[in-house]
Amino acid sequence: MSSPALSQTRKRSATKDLSALIRLKPLIWLMPFALFFYLFQLAPMIWVFINSFIYEETFSFENYLEILGSGFMMQAFGNSLWLAVWSSLIGLVIATTLVSSLRRVNSRIRDGVIAFTNMSSNFAGVPLSFAFIIILGTNGAITLLLKQYGLLGDFDLYGKWGLLAIYIYFQIPLAVLLLYPAFDALSDDWQAAAALLGAKTSQYWTRIALPVLSPALLGTFIILIANAVGAYASVYALTSGNYNVITIRIASLVSGDLFLEPNLAAAISVLLMVLLVFITFINQWLISKSYAGKKSNAKH
């Protein structure tokens, strides 16, 4: 082979190697994240799944049978779901109203409210429980004031209604932050056009705005449920672990002083993951139906 031809071949080979390296560069940058994801996400899930079937050092379904046959455990699942669903629904309604109102106010006020919401979304756990005890506890400032005027009945901060109030409080900022970008999909011209055609404000929201926002609302609702089901610190700090929710049960099985049953806790965690996957599947199905409905309406 002549020298110019050999040089040309080497150049082509070097170009191919360089292009291959350029294509692999994103994968190289992704490797630390993949390692981190495996060590802190996949590996613990695999460990939990495998150990959920270990009972007295043998492979068995006994852990799951014990959970499903225990009224106490079923009550924990029921309490967690009750708090999660109702706090998510109420928080979503309040957040939707708040975000809708924010679009009508001055930008400086809007930025201030969003900044405050971002800050308050991190105010949870033990500090939040302590704040509620000071305000709404048995001898809380607002509790005593409302009882003085006969406006507060048998409200108990340390029961399910008190926990519901705390759950709603930390659900609202998260819902606001998730829904705020979604409202950019709404155009002010749509409401003006609907009004010119004789539509009332309620008709605009039920027939135009809410259908457009439905994927974001459903997605936010699922995230709020997952956020509420996994809450632990606030519940424990407020009730000292005396209220029966599923996170308290898991913690008591892996950190208790008398009965340590990590395999049973693993089985509870697997059931909780299955429940959240099922809820997410239903959510995705509803979202796909809403998108299909939009496309059908657009064609007509």
Side-chain angles (χ1 to χ4, degrees), residues 59-77:
F59 184 86
S60 173
F61 289 92
E62 188 62 31
N63 290 323
Y64 292 98
L65 295 175
E66 182 178 344
I67 294 168
L68 297 176
S70 171
F72 188 62
M73 290 296 181
M74 290 296 99
Q75 183 191 50
F77 275 102

Side-chain angles (χ1 to χ4, degrees), residues 8 22 25 41 83 98 115 127 151 174 185 200 203 253 285 295 299:
Q8 189 69 21
I22 292 174
K25 188 176 180 180
Q41 293 289 335
L83 287 169
L98 176 59
L151 299 176
L174 177 60
K200 299 178 181 178
Q203 291 175 319
L253 291 171
W285 180 77
K295 291 181 180 179
K299 289 180 180 180

Side-chain angles (χ1 to χ4, degrees), residues 285-299:
W285 180 77
L286 291 173
I287 290 177
S288 64
K289 295 291 286 185
S290 68
Y291 278 131
K294 289 178 187 177
K295 291 181 180 179
S296 176
N297 292 334
K299 289 180 180 180

Side-chain angles (χ1 to χ4, degrees), residues 236 251-261:
Y236 186 84
S252 66
L253 291 171
V254 297
S255 61
D257 296 329
L258 298 177
F259 304 104
L260 293 177
E261 299 184 69

Side-chain angles (χ1 to χ4, degrees), residues 90-140:
I90 298 172
L92 188 64
V93 170
I94 295 174
T96 303
T97 305
L98 176 59
V99 174
S100 176
S101 301
L102 282 176
R103 300 180 73 246
R104 307 297 179 185
V105 299
N106 183 276
S107 60
R108 184 173 298 179
I109 298 175
R110 181 168 59 249
D111 293 341
V113 172
I114 293 298
F116 175 78
T117 303
N118 191 20
M119 179 187 67
S120 60
S121 65
N122 297 301
F123 184 66
V126 177
L128 177 61
S129 298
F130 181 66
F132 266 78
I133 290 172
I134 294 174
I135 297 172
L136 290 173
T138 305
N139 296 311

